Every structure is written in structure tokens, then in C-alpha cells.
Amino acid sequence: MNWLTTSNRSWHLLCVCLTSIVLGWQGGAGAIVALEYKDVQRGGWKCWDWLDVLAGAIGCAIGGWLNAVIKDSVW
């Protein structure tokens, strides 16, 4: 779990999870790309940090699942 506390990976997981809860997994996937693109442009990195993308993917899966559960329970 040390890889999650390095850099801003927990922020990636949280933001993508919240976006996925509201917009579904498609919105979460867009948030993964947007957050990582922002990091590359702002930080001057030459390539994407794939562990950030993995943290976002975990958040997307959790948020997408919660979105589906909430939708099914409401309707």
C-alpha cells in the first residue's frame, strides 16, 4: 500500500471515484485521462505515471460500482 501514498495517487483515486459515482464509469475514465494529462503538462514529466493511472482505475471501478448500486436502488 506504500505506492498509494506516494505522489498524489490517493488524490487520483478519490477524485476519479467521486466523478464515477456522479457520472458513471465513463466519466471516471475521462477523469483518469484528464488528471494524468494535467500532471504531465504541469510537472514537466516526459511520460505518464502508470501507477497514477492504476490508482484512478481502482477509483473508477469503485465509483462505477457505487453508481450502479445507487441507480438500481433508486429506480
Side-chain angles (χ1 to χ4, degrees), residues 20-21 24-25 61-75:
S20 296
I21 290 171
W25 69 268
I62 293 169
W65 177 76
L66 286 171
N67 176 279
V69 167
I70 292 168
K71 277 185 177 177
D72 286 342
S73 66
V74 171
W75 299 109

Side-chain angles (χ1 to χ4, degrees), residues 5-32:
T5 59
T6 307
S7 182
N8 60 351
R9 292 186 185 120
S10 58
W11 181 250
H12 280 254
L13 190 140
L14 178 66
C15 289
V16 173
C17 185
L18 292 175
T19 303
S20 296
I21 290 171
V22 175
L23 300 175
W25 69 268
Q26 298 93 340
I32 292 170

Side-chain angles (χ1 to χ4, degrees), residues 21-63:
I21 290 171
V22 175
L23 300 175
W25 69 268
Q26 298 93 340
I32 292 170
V33 173
L35 283 169
E36 195 55 35
Y37 182 75
K38 180 230 9 134
D39 284 350
V40 170
Q41 293 301 310
R42 184 176 267 179
W45 306 109
K46 293 185 179 183
C47 63
W48 287 33
D49 184 356
W50 290 104
L51 291 176
D52 282 356
V53 174
L54 177 63
I58 292 169
C60 185
I62 293 169

